[in-house]
Amino acid sequence: MTEVFIATLKQTLMITAFVLFMMVVIEYINVQSRNIWAEKLQKSPFLQITIAALLGIMPGCMGAFTVVSLYTHRMMGLAGLVAVMIATSGDEAFVMFALFPSKALLLNGILMIIAIATGWVVHLFERKKTTDEIHGFEVHQEDICRCFDKTIVFPQLKKITFERSLLIISTFLFTLMIVIGVLGPNEWNWKKFTFLVGALFLLFIFFTVPNHFLKEHLYNHILKKHLLRIFLWTWGAFLVLHFVKSNLALTSLMKNNLDVVLLIAVLMGIIPESGPHLFLVTLFSQNLLPFSILLANSIVQDGHGMLPLLAESRKDFLKVKVINLLVGLLVGYLLLVFNM
């Protein structure tokens, strides 16, 4: 049991490090873009749906949050909201790209096609909103980050904050464990080099970015809000996976009742939270679930991208969830029929 505990911990640390790297890169893109294109969307429903789907397939929930903000200000319709929630897989997308990148890319491509098609169908039946129906909710808009300003790097290091110290020390220790072989492959292959380059990039970021960006975006947002939860859920999923694989009766029960498993997976998608769906991701990574079930769950679930909408309009939240649930069931059962 100790060996399983340590092995799953090491695997979880590697996945979490990869997720951190991807999240930091995406956060850079997010704070630099500032949604300057948002006003152009109102005139083109197809552009709304396409942009929403593109934002949705971005790993994490920032794309979903952006579309929720646009929707609540009536800069995007229900069709765009449905499209983004079908396309997005929340933080689970980071883990999928870490565990099975080629299949994750295929999954996202299919999700985008389904999202655009469903969004267009919804648009055809969508009732136009009036100005009286505008909500007051607004998603926080981040400040532009001058992410490499030579004039502030050394002054910040002289008065280094707790958050910067923690991120630098933990990343340095991870880099050291990669180099000496405690984590990752023992031999120097492309995977080991990739993780080493990623870790060094993170060190560069943590040394050079302004205090505001590091504290609010990297520490408070990524580390405290996302990364710890991903780490715990992933580790728990791997421990459960070990139990499932060692229990032949349970494995056989799952494989012989895929229609029931599909229904459970789709119903799990209703949960507006990242975490529980990681169990399905890990089961698929070990060939214990077919692609159809993971796809159906991904169609319905959206991480916690829907939480701002739930706080603003329960009616719209239910609309989107019902539409996506029906689409997920339809696609999932069709693919099961063809043994996919």
Side-chain angles (χ1 to χ4, degrees):
M1 191 61 191
T2 304
E3 292 181 1
V4 174
F5 187 84
I6 295 175
T8 53
L9 175 60
K10 286 183 177 182
Q11 193 172 7
T12 303
L13 284 171
M14 295 299 290
I15 291 171
T16 305
F18 182 81
V19 168
L20 175 62
F21 172 75
M22 290 188 66
M23 281 186 165
V24 169
V25 171
I26 289 177
E27 194 73 7
Y28 260 112
I29 296 172
N30 180 64
V31 298
Q32 295 290 359
S33 67
R34 294 287 292 172
N35 305 327
I36 57 177
W37 38 262
E39 291 79 3
K40 299 179 182 179
L41 295 178
Q42 290 176 303
K43 299 178 181 179
S44 174
F46 184 74
L47 184 61
Q48 291 179 26
I49 295 167
T50 304
I51 292 295
L54 285 169
L55 288 171
I57 63 172
M58 288 176 56
C61 297
M62 292 311 300
F65 287 158
T66 300
V67 175
V68 169
S69 178
L70 295 172
Y71 176 75
T72 55
H73 289 83
R74 296 300 170 245
M75 301 172 76
M76 187 172 288
L78 180 66
L81 188 63
V82 168
V84 75
M85 295 308 170
I86 286 179
T88 191
S89 300
D91 293 340
E92 285 81 355
F94 291 111
V95 180
M96 286 192 280
F97 276 107
L99 289 175
F100 40 87
S102 60
K103 291 180 180 178
L105 192 62
L106 174 64
L107 178 75
N108 276 272
I110 296 173
L111 284 174
M112 183 173 175
I113 293 171
I114 295 172
I116 292 174
T118 305
W120 189 249
V121 172
V122 171
H123 166 70
L124 295 178
F125 294 93
E126 186 177 1
R127 180 175 66 89
K128 299 301 180 182
K129 299 289 184 179
T130 66
T131 54
D132 293 336
E133 296 174 289
I134 296 178
H135 300 302
F137 174 79
E138 183 175 357
V139 174
H140 172 71
Q141 299 295 314
E142 293 84 358
D143 296 327
I144 288 288
C145 169
R146 292 185 63 190
C147 293
F148 183 61
D149 186 349
K150 296 179 181 179
T151 63
I152 67 171
V153 172
F154 286 108
Q156 285 180 156
L157 293 176
K158 288 181 180 179
K159 298 180 180 180
I160 192 166
T161 62
F162 166 77
E163 293 83 4
R164 193 182 298 273
S165 300
L166 178 64
L167 290 171
I168 289 175
I169 292 172
S170 57
T171 307
F172 175 78
L173 291 175
F174 175 80
T175 307
L176 182 62
M177 287 189 284
I178 288 290
V179 172
I180 65 178
V182 175
L183 292 176
N186 291 322
E187 66 279 4
W188 283 92
N189 55 20
W190 68 271
K191 289 184 179 180
K192 196 179 186 79
F193 276 110
T194 300
F195 275 102
L196 180 60
V197 171
L200 292 175
F201 172 77
L202 288 178
L203 278 174
F204 171 77
I205 296 301
F206 298 152
F207 269 110
T208 59
V209 294
N211 282 328
H212 170 78
F213 181 84
L214 183 132
K215 183 176 180 179
E216 298 302 326
H217 298 271
L218 304 186
Y219 183 81
N220 288 337
H221 180 214
I222 291 179
L223 189 66
K224 291 176 67 176
K225 192 174 181 180
H226 292 274
L227 210 64
L228 179 60
R229 183 177 61 248
I230 290 174
F231 173 81
L232 294 175
W233 275 106
T234 303
W235 195 9
F238 277 121
L239 291 173
V240 171
L241 179 63
H242 174 76
F243 169 74
V244 171
K245 291 179 68 176
S246 62
N247 191 319
L248 296 178
L250 182 57
T251 303
S252 177
L253 182 66
M254 287 177 55
K255 290 186 175 181
N256 293 327
N257 295 275
L258 290 179
D259 52 343
V260 177
V261 176
L262 173 62
L263 180 60
I264 294 171
V266 170
L267 292 176
M268 281 179 63
I270 298 174
I271 303 171
E273 177 61 48
S274 293
H277 314 287
L278 286 174
F279 288 108
L280 299 177
V281 172
T282 52
L283 288 172
F284 175 78
S285 71
Q286 300 297 314
N287 298 315
L288 295 174
L289 281 183
F291 182 81
S292 55
I293 292 180
L294 180 64
L295 176 61
N297 173 261
S298 299
I299 288 172
V300 184
Q301 75 95 1
D302 36 58
H304 54 267
M306 284 279 276
L307 284 178
L309 185 66
L310 178 61
E312 180 60 28
S313 173
R314 293 180 181 85
K315 181 180 177 182
D316 289 344
F317 175 89
L318 289 174
K319 278 183 187 178
V320 175
K321 279 299 182 183
V322 168
I323 293 170
N324 292 4
L325 188 144
L326 292 175
V327 174
L329 282 174
L330 177 62
V331 172
Y333 276 115
L334 282 176
L335 293 183
L336 272 185
V337 169
F338 293 98
N339 296 317
M340 295 180 67

